[in-house]
Amino acid sequence: MRLELTAEDQAFREEMRTFFTTEVPQELRDAVIEGRELGRAEFVQSQQILNAAGLAVPHWPEEWGGRGWSELRRHIWLEELQRAGVPAPLAFNANMIGPVLAQFASQEMKERFLPTTANLDIWWSQGFSEPDAGSDLASLRTTAVRDGDGWVVNGQKTWTTLGQYGDWIFTLVRTDPQAKKQAGISMLLIDMTSPGLEVRPIELIDGGHEVNEVWFTDVRVPGENLVGELNQGWTMAKFLLGNERVGVAPVGTVKRVLARAKELAGPQLEDPLVRARVAELENELLALELTAIRVAAHSAGAEPHPASSVLKLKGTELQQAVSELVLDLAGPASLASGAPDGPDGSDLPAWARRSAPTYLNLRKASIYGGSNEIQRQIIARTILGL
Amino acid sequence: MDFTYDDEQVALREAVRGLVGKAYSDFEQRRRTVAEEPGWSEEVWARLAEMGILGLPFAEEDGGVGAGPAEVGIVAHELGRVLAPEPFLASVVLAGTAVAEAGTPQQRAEVLGPLAAGERVLALAYADGATPVTASEQAGAWTLSGTKEPVLHGARADLLVVSAALPGAGSGLFLVQGDAAARTGYRTYDGARAARVVLDGTAAVPLGEPGADQSAALAAALDTGRVAACHEALGAMSVALAATTAYLKSRKQFGVPLSTFQSLTFRAADMYVSLELATSIASWATMVLAERGPAAATEAVSRAALQVSRSGRHVGQEAVQLHGGIAMTAEYLVGNLTAHLTALDHLLGDGHHHLRGLAAAVDGHGALDPLAR
């Protein structure tokens, strides 16, 4: 057992901290820290700064821009990035389709897509969920039918996060309707400018436009856009969703928000109930962070540690609890969310006006990435053997 | 940062697991042992002494082994798994650490050597009873008066380490011969033994320099004890979870195993989450204590104690509920684990106590950083 980081890891941490706080523009990080919605240009700007320094996709194979870091270093990288308020590399690119392509795609497809994916020249959308296939993903019904060299796709995807910015979408489609439901699924890459593809916004309870429906009506897709083998889609989906849980505990972000909540609390921090609530959250967050470090230190190879479900489950619970604390600190001021910025707007502070939309938006955290009920099922089955 | 045990530590764990597992793997054996005085096995105690366990945390020149909090934690974890009733926590960790922290070199050698050898059982009397204990001095001779209660294993102890208010300010630590005090022993709800100790002008030997404030030494002993108690709780929790998991798989209701009911498996999954969080933070506090010493570890120890309190209650309560009525019976392990978790929680300050301290200091830092130097 050893408490401290090695001198090398400590130096690495300093290097990351310095980079994130000096190389990524302050105004971009302030937007994240204040909870403002970011546009496409801001995500692209941030990721390209990271990519130029080799910090956008450190967990990829080294051949494609990965750094060969230990899991601990990846944890440190992510935590420092979050604490500095740097927008994380777009998850659809960096954590989802990138690793899948690196693992399963042909050399030609890798060369075509991986560098542009790392640099966010292509903005990827995720086309997995359907109206009747959420956590039960294998029930999906969107079809791809052979037509000469290519495919014709029909169906509907939903909850396509930030799909309004998407250039390409990676989809799971049913290619063999006769096979058992997991066996007849393939992964197709689809250009979102294809005729017959339509993105329709879904309005959410926080008032923002974050997710979309994507409709496919006789969309023609070239045969070469099939990833890996025909009907191998389920294997790739499992690989992708397994990766999604790793690093999903937003420790750095929650820590930053909780520390800021103490500043924002002002005189309310004199209230012993508030103090106790903060202290309890801080303690749970510390326990979570230490668990994340334990999991990182014990992870071997590409296989996610089974306890990573703990991180998703507890991480999102804490993320929600901290947003709830900020909302409660704002109190009635949180109702002013509709006020415009500027001299004609509200006199109430921006953080208080953002607190309710943020709180409502974060209800999603325990639903996406494998709902927390799915995580409990994974723990019960794979760890406890129930 | 590294949470893994090295080869020697793993070997220690296996050795202790082998010894106490053999003695108490049959829960009936543990019940029989606990039913008779002194509530634990002199034979197992002697074997622990032979293995060097009773001298584990003490310096070699004091007759110990020179190991640290990590090793103490390993032993406590194994004792917690089988609810071994031997007074390792009370005698070695709490009382022993108080002597190691406060005693002169001569006192340490005289007291800790026989403790490590299993020849003398110690108890730490730190909680005041109805009348707080005060110390008086006349012509260089010290006496104590007042009541200490509850004193864990206080009736069986050969030697008591007693905290007492000094004539000036502060608290001293004193050695009192066990049979010099009036002691009323009783059984605690988890099968351990405790006592009321009444001192009435009882002769006492100051630990360390006479009249010097030993509050820091006592605090160090309590914090060291808290960390060991955390590990004992982790051992009990891990077995409670394993027993619950096994029970859900084997027990049938409505013609199917309980594990087919999702509401039950989800609750077991949450028990696992609680255990993992407690394990992480207790391991961290152990490292802070080992590498930075008790004075620097107070907050870390409080943090671990708070999480272990929360997790211990959650795991203990759910283990009983998911087992159903069988867990309410004294002859079944699980309810006893829950009782012991409850006792450990209250022994050294419960979650409420630690949360109060942490809440009072909550504006003293921006964000907690366990990776900082």
Side-chain angles (χ1 to χ4, degrees):
Chain A
M1 298 180 94
R2 194 187 59 244
L3 179 62
E4 288 187 348
L5 294 176
T6 60
E8 294 77 22
D9 285 337
Q10 190 69 35
F12 173 81
R13 192 180 194 215
E14 293 301 323
E15 184 193 333
M16 290 296 117
R17 187 170 293 183
T18 304
F19 181 89
F20 292 135
T21 52
T22 57
E23 299 296 323
V24 180
Q26 179 82 44
E27 58 187 48
L28 194 56
R29 294 188 290 115
D30 283 346
V32 171
I33 289 166
E34 287 164 23
R36 294 206 298 267
E37 274 186 66
L38 300 184
R40 172 176 166 134
E42 289 159 307
F43 280 107
V44 171
Q45 183 194 5
S46 173
Q47 184 154 338
Q48 292 187 344
I49 292 169
L50 298 182
N51 197 43
L55 297 178
V57 290
H59 52 294
W60 286 15
E62 288 181 65
E63 190 188 352
W64 299 106
R67 301 294 295 270
W69 287 342
S70 66
E71 294 279 339
L72 179 61
R73 287 207 171 184
R74 280 172 55 186
H75 170 85
I76 293 170
W77 164 80
L78 183 63
E79 184 176 356
E80 291 301 327
L81 180 144
Q82 291 175 340
R83 286 184 68 180
V86 175
L90 193 69
F92 314 108
N93 287 40
N95 302 344
M96 297 183 190
I97 190 62
V100 167
L101 294 179
Q103 176 81 14
F104 296 98
S106 65
Q107 185 64 19
E108 192 185 352
M109 187 179 263
K110 287 177 190 172
E111 286 170 12
R112 181 177 169 198
F113 284 111
L114 284 175
T116 47
T117 297
N119 204 44
L120 200 44
D121 297 325
I122 291 178
W123 184 295
W124 285 97
S125 290
Q126 182 184 20
F128 280 14
S129 294
E130 297 188 8
D132 289 320
S135 288
D136 179 18
L137 189 56
S139 297
L140 63 89
R141 289 206 292 248
T142 296
T143 57
V145 177
R146 266 286 180 197
D147 180 45
D149 281 351
W151 301 91
V152 175
V153 176
N154 279 284
Q156 181 198 353
K157 295 291 176 181
T158 192
W159 309 128
T160 309
T161 304
L162 301 179
Q164 67 267 38
Y165 302 142
D167 300 308
W168 282 73
I169 184 167
F170 53 94
T171 59
L172 290 177
V173 292
R174 191 160 297 287
T175 38
D176 183 355
Q178 311 304 326
K180 232 184 78 184
K181 61 180 192 175
Q182 278 89 352
I185 295 171
S186 299
M187 186 179 285
L188 275 187
L189 308 182
I190 303 178
D191 183 337
M192 291 181 78
T193 61
S194 304
L197 188 152
E198 191 193 347
V199 178
R200 299 180 192 166
I202 301 173
E203 191 182 351
L204 296 184
I205 51 174
D206 63 349
H209 172 199
E210 190 175 61
V211 292
N212 305 269
E213 293 175 339
V214 180
W215 293 75
F216 301 88
T217 311
D218 293 331
V219 175
R220 304 191 70 82
V221 180
E224 72 212 37
N225 290 12
L226 178 76
V227 184
E229 306 290 323
L230 186 65
N231 296 328
Q232 201 190 4
W234 191 249
T235 306
M236 290 182 263
K238 278 198 301 184
F239 174 84
L240 184 154
L241 294 171
N243 285 335
E244 202 179 11
R245 280 197 301 281
V246 174
V248 80
V251 171
T253 304
V254 181
K255 199 190 263 192
R256 188 188 74 227
V257 176
L258 185 54
R260 187 149 182 271
K262 290 201 290 189
E263 287 172 24
L264 300 175
Q268 291 188 76
L269 203 56
E270 297 308 308
D271 179 346
L273 295 181
V274 172
R275 298 179 82 86
R277 193 168 161 192
V278 171
E280 191 113 39
L281 286 171
E282 281 187 337
N283 221 52
E284 289 192 72
L285 185 60
L286 175 66
L288 176 72
E289 177 170 6
L290 291 163
T291 304
I293 295 168
R294 264 176 70 218
V295 168
H298 295 186
S299 288
E303 280 291 299
H305 190 285
S308 56
S309 285
V310 172
L311 305 182
K312 161 66 168 79
L313 183 57
K314 198 68 197 174
T316 52
E317 281 181 3
L318 282 175
Q319 191 177 20
Q320 292 175 334
V322 171
S323 76
E324 196 175 345
L325 170 69
V326 174
L327 173 71
D328 291 344
L329 291 172
S334 66
L335 289 164
S337 64
D341 288 320
D344 297 332
S346 166
D347 286 337
L348 297 167
W351 71 266
R353 291 187 282 121
R354 285 296 304 158
S355 64
T358 303
Y359 160 77
L360 291 170
N361 182 273
L362 280 174
R363 297 290 101 202
K364 72 188 177 188
S366 47
I367 300 169
Y368 67 41
S371 70
N372 284 8
E373 286 65 37
I374 293 289
Q375 305 305 328
R376 286 189 175 89
Q377 201 162 326
I378 291 169
I379 293 169
R381 281 201 188 146
T382 58
I383 301 179
L384 302 180
L386 288 168
Chain B
M1 208 175 217
D2 181 2
F3 285 83
T4 50
Y5 290 133
D6 63 28
D7 290 347
E8 271 184 51
Q9 291 169 328
V10 170
L12 171 67
R13 184 181 68 195
E14 296 313 311
V16 177
R17 186 172 293 188
L19 171 57
V20 297
K22 203 164 161 193
Y24 298 118
S25 63
D26 171 11
F27 188 60
E28 270 308 303
Q29 181 56 47
R30 192 259 182 194
R31 273 174 40 89
R32 282 194 294 275
T33 304
V34 166
E36 287 169 23
E37 293 306 317
W40 44 275
S41 161
E42 301 275 6
E43 190 193 334
V44 170
W45 193 247
R47 297 285 308 281
L48 287 168
E50 278 168 33
M51 283 172 65
I53 302 298
L54 305 186
L56 212 52
F58 312 126
E60 288 176 33
E61 57 267 32
D62 297 338
V65 176
E71 287 75 17
V72 168
I74 287 167
V75 173
H77 188 275
E78 294 308 315
L79 300 181
R81 284 173 56 90
V82 295
L83 295 178
E86 283 66 35
F88 178 74
L89 176 61
S91 195
V92 174
V93 185
L94 286 170
T97 304
V99 173
E101 290 285 330
T104 63
Q106 193 191 342
Q107 285 173 328
R108 295 201 304 265
E110 280 176 9
V111 175
L112 299 179
L115 169 64
E119 294 159 2
R120 194 185 282 171
V121 174
L122 269 61
L124 180 65
Y126 63 94
D128 276 326
T131 315
V133 172
T134 54
S136 312
E137 186 247 316
Q138 227 169 6
W142 289 80
T143 54
L144 304 181
S145 291
T147 314
K148 289 286 182 184
E149 187 180 6
V151 181
L152 209 51
H153 295 285
R156 163 66 180 82
D158 305 296
L159 194 59
L160 299 167
V161 181
V162 184
S163 66
L166 293 170
S171 296
L173 285 170
F174 298 85
L175 293 174
V176 174
Q177 293 301 320
D179 51 18
R183 298 181 287 180
T184 311
Y186 47 78
R187 218 183 125 144
T188 62
Y189 54 80
D190 65 334
R193 297 295 190 276
R196 178 172 67 122
V197 175
V198 180
L199 303 159
D200 183 14
T202 309
V205 177
L207 275 171
E209 190 191 328
D213 183 17
Q214 297 289 2
S215 302
L218 178 60
L222 295 180
D223 275 349
T224 305
R226 285 181 178 114
V227 169
C230 283
H231 286 278
E232 207 171 311
L234 290 173
M237 277 188 252
S238 66
V239 171
L241 174 59
T244 305
T245 303
Y247 189 78
L248 291 177
K249 283 197 271 197
S250 62
R251 170 76 168 149
K252 287 191 173 179
Q253 295 270 270
F254 308 106
V256 290
L258 290 178
S259 59
T260 56
F261 297 103
Q262 193 178 55
S263 62
L264 305 184
T265 60
F266 276 21
R267 288 169 72 165
D270 284 334
M271 291 166 73
Y272 174 80
V273 173
S274 271
L275 175 56
E276 284 296 309
L277 294 176
T279 301
S280 302
I281 200 164
S283 304
W284 170 74
T286 309
M287 290 189 274
V288 175
L289 183 64
E291 295 183 24
R292 297 182 186 160
T298 304
E299 185 190 312
V301 172
S302 251
R303 294 193 174 281
L306 172 56
Q307 183 64 50
V308 170
S309 170
R310 296 282 187 265
S311 294
R313 288 184 188 202
H314 175 221
V315 171
Q317 291 167 4
E318 290 290 80
V320 173
Q321 179 66 24
L322 294 180
H323 272 84
I326 182 75
M328 295 297 295
T329 65
E331 64 187 28
Y332 193 72
L333 171 68
V334 162
N336 289 271
L337 289 165
T338 304
H340 188 52
L341 284 168
T342 309
L344 287 171
D345 188 9
H346 281 291
L347 181 62
L348 298 162
D350 59 16
H352 185 83
H353 166 87
H354 293 291
L355 179 59
R356 193 192 305 117
L358 294 169
V362 82
D363 41 12
H365 51 256
L368 296 177
D369 185 1
L371 293 178
R373 276 171 189 257

